[in-house]
Amino acid sequence: MKAIDYSNKTHYRTKAFHSPFYSRQEPMNQLKEWGRWSDYLSPHAYSCASMEYFACRNACSVFDLTPMTKYHISGKDALAYLNRLVTRDVSKIKPGRVGYCVWCTDEGRVIDDGTIFHLSENEYRMCSQERHLDWLLTNTIGFDVSLTEETHEVAALALQGPTSCATLKQMGLEGVENLKPFGIRYFSFENTQLMVSRTGFTGDLGYELWIDPDHAEVLWDRLFEAGHLHGIQAMGDEALAMLRVEAGFIQAGHDFMPAHQTVRVSHTRSPYELGLGWLVDFKKPNFNGRKALLAEKEHGHRYNLVKLDIEGNKSACDSYVFTKNKKLVGTVTSATWSPSAKASIALATLEAPFGRPGEELLVEIYYQKELKWSRVMARAVVVSGVFFDPPRRRQTPAADY
Amino acid sequence: MTRKQARDIIQVQIYREPNRVKKYDAIVVGAGHNGLTNAAFLAKAGLDVLLVEKNDYIGGATVSLKKHKDWVYSNCSYVCSLLRPEVYRSLNLAKYGLQVVPYGGSATISQNGDYLGSYVDPDVSRREMARLSPRDADAKVRFDRDIMRQCRFIRQFLLRTAPDPTSFKPRDLMEMFYMGKQLLNLGEDVIYDMMRLYTMSISEYLDEYFEHPLIKAAKAGSGIIGSAMGVMSPGTAYVLLHHAMGDVDGTMGAWGFARGGMGAIAQAMADCFEDHGGELLSGSGVEQITVRGGKVTGVALENGNEYQADVVVSNMTLPRTFLECMDQNDLEPDFIRKVKNFKIRGSSGKLNFALDGLPKFTALEDNPELIKGDLHLVDTVERLELAYDDWKNGSWSKDPYVDMLIPTLTDPTMAPPGKHFMSVFVQYVPPKVNGEDWTSDHRDQFGQTVIDKIESYAPGFKDLILHVEIRTPRDLEDDVGLTQGNIFQGELTMDQLLFNRPIPGYAQYRGPAKGLYMCGSSNHPGGGVMAAPGANAAREILRDMRKPKSVPEGWIDD
């Protein structure tokens, strides 16, 4: 059954639908602070964003990612189709594996980023922040593929944090500890199939659980039963926003504008400008944006998306970035205090060639103390790695904590 | 009677008799919203201005009139989006009582009982479109982006005088350079798209984005409003843009109601004008704009009075100004020929209803959100094209396009509580019926066609009608002065836009005689209650008088 249905004219009375997990989220959401994520209500925080953040870094947390856009792609040309669509070589994503990718316009401007799940031979799932049915169907011309949206047919939870594996084992998923990063495994669960992938948006040990919406509630219940002694906690999007910046993950609409929504052409970005040049593979067959990206690779790009480590403890949200000579070279797109790195961190877009690793810059931060605004020019340095990268993230078999 | 009382009864009659021998700095002819804007800016700049109006009420087509008991009709223009916010602010229209309130939503109702709704909430709107076509719902992101790209480009030229591309004056060259620079900034794809958008039909343009017939029909309507072209006629894609480039409070493409009806806009402008010492004389039209030795000398009114000024500004349509209100000996034959050929074909009519209650459209199932917005009764672009065929054949459409609104669901000032005013804009309606002038029988038959159509979607509608005012293009010409009843004072086609509007060589608001100016919608950037031609003309007049700059240009959107 679909999680939501808006085939009836009366759908307008519901401005945001309940996720299949809502009956469990609602009593846990003590703050009653709901936001909207696409078609669904989504909690900003259940009780305290900071505690939810630490649950994820110290024990494990559960985040409802049902609202994420999902497409199912199958047919004998599925691989060829995806290889034309995205910039990386999809043939390297074997069955049972997941790959992060971006897809571009003919001009090599990023439409969105997302993950491709190779479910089985000739069968894929693609997940993204934005909706792309028109673009994806346009791209099917000439390919023997079937493409359908399955956003509302699949309920999904992210279980992230050091005790996530122990929790899943406790829930009876035998051998889940042997699942490698970006791997997929299927388990039989309550007379249905539960898909588990070792993926996530937190940069920690973690899993994403995919199930039909009818089994959403039982999955939630069993997970919380199993995680009870492992510190499990439900988590909202405020905590996730901190986690993903620590992990260095970019987000559409925050760190870049999806090309199909961007009115000002110069505000679109190429994969190179997002630091995703490693996802562009010119050795594979022709793909969307190839010609433009090849030219850009030769002639250089206009922007660099960088990670900044900023002195002091003031949040650098929405700040301008200057060179040491006070030349304006860019803006911060996402920023947070990192409780794990114990540093003020940010993602920023700078005009090329600024943003080389190790480069020292200044960030103009406006901050308020008891209603009085002040300004500081904080020193910042461009870092190349991610801000928090625990070995448990990649360790296989996964540890219990 | 106090001014407030005068405003309350809407029809403002001013019988003040100006001094006959006095010479004014400027005389503006026609108190439509552009004439008012122009006169207000001139008065605000310190000029001694006389504004003359043929009707005993002001506003032209921007008017609120009581035609039935306590009902106030926006009996011509009926919604507001294009009104330039720069003018609103510069003339301080808020101080003079103007309130523009946005309304949300629209519905396009099909014959099979379904509809496409558009809602204030963007997610609900998307799901509604996805209900009909999931693919179209996602394609709309690209459609909105492309329309917005074009709107951003056009908007910056609305409050600028179009350059003359044949002139070598530094000012024209600089403006051409500016325009070229802005064009190049768009990037090559947007430039290609622009050339296509300006020349395509709305039907073809929509085919590039959408697949569902009802979705296309819903979007196509704004490509034909006010134009004597069909959805399949080249050039109609631009007309959609013209309807999308406005805003309410910065929300581009949004539409609103002027509280108290559209006349509230004219009234606020008139109050501003008078507050700055302007004199308004209504109730007698201009017989002739007088010219001596190639210079204007003033105006002679139909009532025999004459007034003098070295500057006369006409807010009348191009043909009305030059073919009806000037001695043809004062004009060059080639100019007269071009004026005669100016495309200003009437295509629209209007029904204004006083209703005893709220009509119930069967398909809407009492949806309280959609009824507050624009309602359309059409299924396909083909059905719209057939409506145009009737116009070409010299008749009103037997299955007309209607744009219906019930402002009283938003505005409490226009009808008694529980009662409603409903505005029904209709296309296509020809300026003449089979080549003959409209008769009152024709008008009644036309009205009945529209009423029958509404009744078929909203059974019981007829029983709610307390009063109806039926407006044909002929009425628009006779009452408002819009030649052939064209609501835009001339069609919005590429051949008569920008430096070709109204006609080549006269796009900078200056007429063929010295001191003669034009400030109506016949001029750049065209029709709609925009106030841009009026403001632009005022800027040019003050420039010729070497007065300091006081008329705003467009706000920059980077």
Side-chain angles (χ1 to χ4, degrees), chain B residues 6-247:
Chain B
R7 187 182 302 141
D8 285 348
I9 67 155
I10 303 297
Q11 290 197 34
V12 182
Q13 302 194 12
I14 295 157
Y15 293 111
R16 210 183 306 142
E17 184 72 9
N19 185 343
R20 279 194 189 202
V21 288
K22 181 179 151 190
K23 185 174 172 182
Y24 291 89
D25 292 332
I27 297 171
V28 180
V29 181
H33 80 279
N34 274 311
L36 286 161
T37 299
N38 186 270
F41 275 118
L42 296 183
K44 194 173 167 233
L47 302 195
D48 193 5
V49 184
L50 174 68
L51 173 58
V52 296
E53 165 56 45
K54 77 181 180 74
N55 290 320
D56 51 15
Y57 56 88
I58 59 157
T62 311
V63 68
S64 305
L65 291 176
K66 281 195 171 178
K67 292 281 178 176
H68 175 74
K69 292 185 182 166
D70 290 333
W71 274 256
V72 176
Y73 291 175
S74 287
N75 83 326
C76 292
S77 64
Y78 51 102
V79 280
C80 177
S81 168
L82 295 169
L83 180 63
R84 302 315 305 148
E86 300 90 342
V87 171
Y88 202 136
R89 187 138 175 210
S90 186
L91 293 182
N92 214 347
L93 298 183
K95 173 184 160 189
Y96 298 106
L98 179 59
Q99 264 185 284
V100 175
V101 182
Y103 68 86
S106 77
T108 302
I109 304 173
S110 60
Q111 278 170 317
N112 69 4
D114 203 353
Y115 61 75
L116 172 72
S118 168
Y119 292 86
V120 177
D121 188 293
D123 285 328
V124 176
S125 262
R126 172 176 49 75
R127 285 191 288 268
E128 171 70 357
M129 205 180 253
R131 187 172 69 78
L132 300 180
S133 164
R135 180 174 190 168
D136 285 0
D138 288 1
K140 184 172 176 291
V141 172
R142 193 166 48 89
F143 176 78
D144 285 347
R145 175 198 68 178
D146 291 351
I147 292 295
M148 200 53 64
R149 283 178 172 176
Q150 301 298 338
C151 285
R152 277 189 74 240
F153 180 74
I154 297 180
R155 276 165 63 100
Q156 61 186 329
F157 299 109
L158 297 178
L159 283 177
R160 293 174 83 98
T161 296
D164 182 344
T166 66
S167 153
F168 289 99
K169 286 186 198 153
R171 184 183 171 212
D172 287 307
L173 289 173
M174 277 171 66
E175 188 65 14
M176 283 299 286
F177 177 74
Y178 175 79
M179 203 172 258
K181 197 175 140 212
Q182 298 303 317
L183 189 67
L184 289 175
N185 279 348
L186 294 176
E188 61 181 57
D189 276 2
V190 187
I191 297 173
Y192 292 139
D193 211 32
M194 174 182 292
M195 298 306 162
R196 302 177 71 244
L197 182 60
Y198 282 30
T199 52
M200 286 169 84
S201 73
I202 184 60
S203 171
E204 287 169 327
Y205 190 73
L206 292 169
D207 283 343
E208 301 204 346
Y209 297 89
F210 302 113
E211 60 181 15
H212 196 282
L214 187 55
I215 291 172
K216 286 196 254 191
K219 297 257 169 224
S222 51
I224 53 167
I225 286 185
S227 61
M229 299 185 287
V231 286
M232 296 178 183
S233 309
T236 44
Y238 171 76
V239 181
L240 174 132
L241 208 56
H242 198 84
H243 285 104
M245 68 191 182
D247 68 284

Side-chain angles (χ1 to χ4, degrees), chain B residues 248-265:
Chain B
V248 177
D249 299 323
T251 307
M252 273 227 253
W255 286 79
F257 293 118
R259 195 171 194 267
M262 292 299 279
I265 298 172

Side-chain angles (χ1 to χ4, degrees), chain A residues 253-270:
Chain A
H254 289 263
D255 303 297
F256 71 95
M257 276 299 293
H260 283 157
Q261 300 171 24
T262 311
V263 173
R264 295 154 187 82
V265 179
S266 63
H267 292 206
T268 59
R269 295 290 179 264
S270 76

Side-chain angles (χ1 to χ4, degrees), chain B residues 337-373:
Chain B
R337 187 173 53 79
K338 284 177 183 166
V339 171
K340 279 188 169 160
N341 290 335
F342 183 59
K343 225 164 42 183
I344 186 163
R345 304 169 298 184
S347 61
S348 330
K350 184 100 192 289
L351 270 69
N352 298 305
F353 292 99
L355 298 179
D356 201 20
L358 193 60
K360 276 180 182 287
F361 289 85
T362 311
L364 292 187
E365 296 168 0
D366 294 325
N367 184 315
E369 297 188 35
L370 298 181
I371 192 84
K372 287 184 179 173

Side-chain angles (χ1 to χ4, degrees), chain B residues 10 71 112 248 285 315 321 384 435 491 494 523 543 546 556:
Chain B
I10 303 297
W71 274 256
N112 69 4
V248 177
N315 183 36
T321 306
L384 288 169
E491 285 197 54
M494 265 318 267
N523 301 278
R543 181 188 164 91
R546 303 186 191 290
I556 301 294

Side-chain angles (χ1 to χ4, degrees), chain A residues 124-377:
Chain A
Y124 295 86
R125 172 176 299 155
M126 198 166 114
C127 295
S128 64
Q129 171 68 34
E130 306 299 317
R131 286 187 167 68
H132 304 288
L133 192 59
D134 179 54
W135 179 249
L136 297 181
L137 287 174
T138 301
N139 274 274
T140 59
I141 296 168
F143 293 95
D144 183 2
V145 290
S146 153
L147 186 139
T148 50
E149 182 173 348
E150 57 178 8
T151 304
H152 310 303
E153 278 88 342
V154 181
L157 291 178
L159 176 69
Q160 303 278 307
T163 63
S164 54
C165 182
T167 298
L168 291 181
K169 282 197 290 186
Q170 179 70 34
M171 199 173 79
L173 305 191
E174 273 180 41
V176 73
E177 67 275 15
N178 296 320
L179 188 58
K180 290 179 186 160
F182 294 102
I184 301 171
R185 269 189 68 178
Y186 298 92
F187 296 90
S188 80
F189 175 81
E190 300 285 340
N191 301 320
T192 190
Q193 188 187 60
L194 171 68
M195 184 176 108
V196 178
S197 56
R198 188 167 164 187
T199 48
F201 205 47
T202 64
D204 214 311
L205 172 64
Y207 301 86
E208 288 171 335
L209 315 175
W210 313 79
I211 202 162
D212 70 86
D214 291 337
H215 286 80
E217 290 168 343
V218 66
L219 173 64
W220 183 284
D221 293 342
R222 293 279 310 278
L223 207 52
F224 276 81
E225 271 166 41
H228 177 61
L229 299 177
H230 298 281
I232 196 167
Q233 201 164 322
M235 176 173 85
D237 57 27
E238 286 176 19
L240 186 70
M242 298 164 72
L243 293 159
R244 68 107 185 159
V245 177
E246 284 186 335
F249 292 139
I250 59 171
Q251 194 176 348
H254 289 263
D255 303 297
F256 71 95
M257 276 299 293
H260 283 157
Q261 300 171 24
T262 311
V263 173
R264 295 154 187 82
V265 179
S266 63
H267 292 206
T268 59
R269 295 290 179 264
S270 76
Y272 296 107
E273 293 170 338
L274 299 181
L276 300 176
W278 60 278
L279 285 176
V280 184
D281 187 345
F282 293 112
K283 293 192 204 91
K284 71 165 188 166
N286 189 36
F287 59 92
N288 295 345
R290 185 181 195 276
K291 218 165 112 183
L293 292 174
L294 202 54
E296 187 171 312
K297 195 178 181 204
E298 276 172 30
H299 300 115
H301 50 272
R302 294 172 305 153
Y303 297 96
N304 288 318
L305 193 146
V306 300
K307 302 180 197 78
L308 297 179
D309 185 344
I310 303 161
E311 71 166 2
N313 58 3
K314 311 277 186 307
S315 169
C317 286
D318 305 324
S319 298
Y320 276 127
V321 182
F322 296 84
T323 62
K324 287 207 290 185
N325 301 326
K326 304 278 174 68
K327 176 183 156 62
L328 178 62
V329 290
T331 52
V332 166
T333 54
S334 298
T336 185
W337 171 257
S338 164
S340 295
K342 297 291 183 237
S344 173
I345 61 172
L347 304 177
T349 291
L350 308 181
E351 288 166 28
F354 299 101
R356 295 181 197 90
E359 188 169 353
E360 288 181 29
L361 297 159
L362 293 170
V363 177
E364 182 181 31
I365 301 173
Y366 286 81
Y367 63 96
Q368 204 191 34
K369 295 283 183 195
E370 294 175 333
L371 300 182
K372 186 177 179 297
W373 281 97
S374 304
R375 187 187 76 127
V376 64
M377 292 293 273

